[in-house]
Amino acid sequence: MSHDILDICIAAALVIGGLFTLVGSIGLLKLQAPMARLHAPTKASTLGVGSILLASVLFAYASGAPSYHELLIIAFLFMTAPVSASFIGKVHIHLGQNRKPLPKPARDRIWATEAKREEDTPDVLEMKADA
Amino acid sequence: MATRFMQRLFPHPLLSVALVVIWQLLVNEPSINSLIFGAMLGVLLPFTTAAYWPNRPQVTRPWKLIPYGLIVAWDIITANVTVAMIVLFKPNRDIRSTWVNIPLDIRTPEAITALAGTITLTPGTVSVDLSDHGHALLVHALHAEDPEKVARKIKSRYERRLKEIFE
Amino acid sequence: MIVTYALIFAFAAVSLSLLLTMVRLVKGPRSGDRILALDTLSINAVALIILVGIAGATQIYFEAAIIIAMLGFVSTVAVARFVLRGDIIE
């Protein structure tokens, strides 16, 4: 009985994972603006892969050889997805691919990516000092 | 004296705990041996590399990370469905992408990193850039009629809680 | 039984999304989109490897999955940094 429920959970996690991965790629292909395209794969795919990894953990438990190291990949993907998304967004800004101009920063002069090389490189130490 | 000694031995307590957990997961067989070896790694690695990261990140109220994590996980799941609907069924010309400018109240780098990560993981918004002195965050929203509303929601839902955790 | 069908569906979905990502990788139009497509490809490859692991009921592919995840992240950051700065390690 409980085995059936576990099977249904595994199947549900697999189907949800597959669907979200697919949605991520469809979004990557369908959306028009470069910045809008960034949204679909970074998050939908991450959640999809997370769900598939969860299915793998459940499956290992159901087949009698419990294993939980997939949790490491889930944690790793969820921690690195924002970093790579931010980097790709910076690339878009740097190449001037956004259609709308950026808003002015609230209290500062410019955004960090707009800084020219040496003269106005953002000063991280200064930020630390006024924290 | 004793606390100084403990600080020398465990320069980054959270890092030590994380190393033990990661080693357990990598070995993938719970046993007393792997626990002992993980504990050795957890003591040795932060101790030998302490010189390379002199600053200890401040987490004032670490226990509040748990409810925060649950809130974020719930938001990730619900909002992902919303974004999937937008991607699949909304025609491209109806999608109103916009930039959102979020003035920051939190000042420590760790808190800002956590906020930026949260914003990116909650679908519909991606944090892209920080202003040159770190007082504002540039966020891109996939579909938002009113940028102000998004900024207010992020500030009240996430930034307030992070301020309690880190500052 | 139900797991087998779900597994087949997941294989199909992930393979299809790899193909769609490939189209974006070829189409571009600029380097930002290509970097994004490569990142998505590596994440989808992790999913595919884990699915192979489930289908074979083995843990042997775990290391491959984690290495692809790590290399995918590092290479995304390296390429993005190269476009941004013209240099990877300053």
Side-chain angles (χ1 to χ4, degrees):
Chain A
M1 182 58 210
S2 71
H3 213 258
D4 286 352
I5 296 174
L6 205 56
D7 272 4
I8 292 170
C9 286
I10 298 169
L14 282 173
V15 170
I16 292 171
L19 278 180
F20 272 115
T21 321
L22 196 55
V23 166
S25 295
I26 292 175
L28 181 67
L29 202 58
K30 179 207 154 199
L31 294 170
Q32 286 296 316
M35 275 311 294
R37 258 179 240 144
L38 188 54
H39 287 267
T42 48
K43 288 162 301 196
S45 294
T46 309
L47 189 71
V49 176
S51 180
I52 288 177
L53 287 161
L54 210 60
S56 170
V57 173
L58 289 174
F59 183 80
Y61 178 75
S63 59
S67 130
Y68 38 84
H69 53 190
E70 285 87 351
L71 297 177
L72 268 182
I73 307 187
I74 300 183
F76 183 79
L77 283 179
F78 272 86
M79 272 193 286
T80 55
V83 181
S84 38
S86 165
F87 263 105
I88 295 167
K90 278 165 183 280
V91 167
H92 283 321
I93 294 178
H94 181 74
L95 296 176
Q97 275 194 313
N98 47 306
R99 293 175 186 179
K100 291 173 193 156
L102 304 180
K104 285 287 291 173
R107 264 160 271 177
D108 295 329
R109 209 160 45 81
I110 49 172
W111 298 106
T113 309
E114 297 172 315
K116 293 288 166 296
R117 297 210 65 156
E118 273 77 24
E119 62 271 27
D120 31 53
T121 306
D123 194 348
V124 182
L125 289 175
E126 191 181 329
M127 203 179 124
K128 188 86 187 169
D130 57 70
Chain B
M1 187 65 206
T3 54
R4 286 266 315 260
F5 179 71
M6 286 303 278
Q7 249 181 31
R8 276 298 287 267
L9 203 59
F10 298 104
H12 303 283
L14 284 175
L15 178 66
S16 301
V17 174
L19 280 169
V20 174
V21 172
I22 289 174
W23 186 255
Q24 285 296 311
L25 286 173
L26 272 177
V27 171
N28 202 22
E29 265 170 50
S31 73
I32 197 81
N33 290 345
S34 63
L35 193 66
I36 290 172
F37 195 74
M40 279 161 63
L41 285 179
V43 175
L44 275 179
L45 285 181
F47 181 72
T48 46
T49 58
Y52 297 101
W53 14 1
N55 299 322
R56 184 191 283 208
Q58 287 187 343
V59 186
T60 339
R61 299 179 188 84
W63 62 91
K64 284 199 173 172
L65 276 170
I66 297 166
Y68 181 74
L70 291 178
I71 290 173
V72 173
W74 177 246
D75 284 1
I76 289 174
I77 293 167
T78 53
N80 244 313
V81 177
T82 328
V83 165
M85 290 302 147
I86 293 177
V87 166
L88 290 179
F89 301 118
K90 228 178 178 56
N92 278 329
R93 60 176 183 283
D94 289 350
I95 294 178
R96 304 261 171 280
S97 300
T98 171
W99 293 104
V100 183
N101 180 1
I102 297 177
L104 290 173
D105 291 328
I106 44 181
R107 297 299 307 139
T108 56
E110 292 83 23
I112 296 176
T113 313
L115 180 68
T118 313
I119 290 172
T120 303
L121 280 178
T122 37
T125 46
V126 170
S127 58
V128 175
D129 210 349
L130 201 62
S131 66
D132 56 348
H133 293 294
H135 290 102
L137 200 62
L138 180 63
V139 171
H140 187 267
L142 177 61
H143 180 77
E145 302 291 344
D146 181 14
E148 288 294 316
K149 212 172 131 194
V150 177
R152 246 179 286 127
K153 192 194 159 204
I154 288 170
K155 280 190 85 72
S156 66
R157 195 168 171 85
Y158 305 121
E159 194 187 12
R160 189 174 51 80
R161 291 189 168 88
L162 283 172
K163 203 175 169 65
E164 281 178 12
I165 293 170
F166 286 98
E167 286 171 17
Chain C
M1 206 58 212
I2 184 174
V3 177
T4 319
Y5 287 127
L7 204 56
I8 293 171
F9 173 80
F11 264 120
V14 173
S15 314
L16 188 58
S17 60
L18 276 166
L19 274 178
L20 294 178
T21 316
M22 207 66 176
V23 174
R24 176 54 76 196
L25 180 65
V26 173
K27 251 173 81 176
R30 292 187 74 174
S31 45
D33 298 295
R34 295 211 165 89
I35 299 170
L36 182 58
L38 278 173
D39 189 44
T40 315
L41 270 183
S42 73
I43 291 178
N44 286 353
V46 172
L48 203 58
I49 286 179
I50 291 294
L51 285 176
V52 171
I54 297 178
T58 125
Q59 293 293 325
I60 207 161
Y61 299 112
F62 166 77
E63 276 79 12
I66 201 165
I67 285 172
I68 288 186
M70 285 176 169
L71 282 181
F73 169 67
V74 172
S75 49
T76 306
V77 171
V79 179
R81 236 187 125 65
F82 182 73
V83 175
L84 278 172
R85 292 284 190 174
D87 209 345
I88 294 173
I89 301 165
E90 289 181 28

